[in-house]
Amino acid sequence: TQTELNQESKTDFEIADAELNKVYKKLRVTMSDDEKQRLKEVQLLWLKYRDANAEFAASRYEGGSIMPMVYAGAMTSATEDRVQALKNLFPEGYEED
């Protein structure tokens, strides 16, 4: 059902978001205080962009039962891309747990 698809999309986003937070925290450990502050500023801007972009994508389906799935899908896709971008910032490469 659409409700189940919406929930699955939400769960996918929660998994991607947890990975983002894990990688972000690990990256901060490798940085100077100045770099940490700059990363924080960039990350806050990126979060605003991600959220606004997902809202825009979902707005095309305003009032439709698919809207939550489109929103969560956009959030997941952007978050997965950001995770990869952050992993690419590790000087020695990112080591999976």
Side-chain angles (χ1 to χ4, degrees):
T1 68
Q2 188 60 54
T3 301
E4 292 169 332
L5 291 172
N6 292 346
Q7 183 56 49
E8 184 178 323
S9 294
K10 181 182 178 209
T11 300
D12 290 344
F13 168 67
E14 290 168 348
I15 291 167
D17 193 50
E19 178 73 4
L20 175 67
N21 288 320
K22 180 179 87 171
V23 172
Y24 176 83
K25 287 176 184 175
K26 285 178 80 170
L27 180 59
R28 286 179 51 85
V29 170
T30 70
M31 297 180 148
S32 68
D33 288 343
D34 183 52
E35 289 172 322
K36 287 177 189 177
Q37 181 58 37
R38 290 180 14 215
L39 175 64
K40 180 180 177 180
E41 291 168 7
V42 169
Q43 190 69 3
L44 290 173
L45 290 170
W46 178 83
L47 288 168
K48 288 179 184 180
Y49 164 78
R50 179 200 63 187
D51 295 352
N53 188 61
E55 287 173 14
F56 172 72
S59 71
R60 298 184 59 214
Y61 302 94
E62 188 74 39
S65 62
I66 196 172
M67 187 179 172
M69 186 178 81
V70 172
Y71 177 80
M75 295 282 283
T76 301
S77 178
T79 301
E80 288 172 345
D81 289 347
R82 182 66 176 161
V83 166
Q84 189 57 53
L86 291 179
K87 285 180 177 181
N88 291 339
L89 294 175
F90 280 81
E92 302 296 321
Y94 181 77
E95 292 185 29
E96 298 289 339
D97 292 333

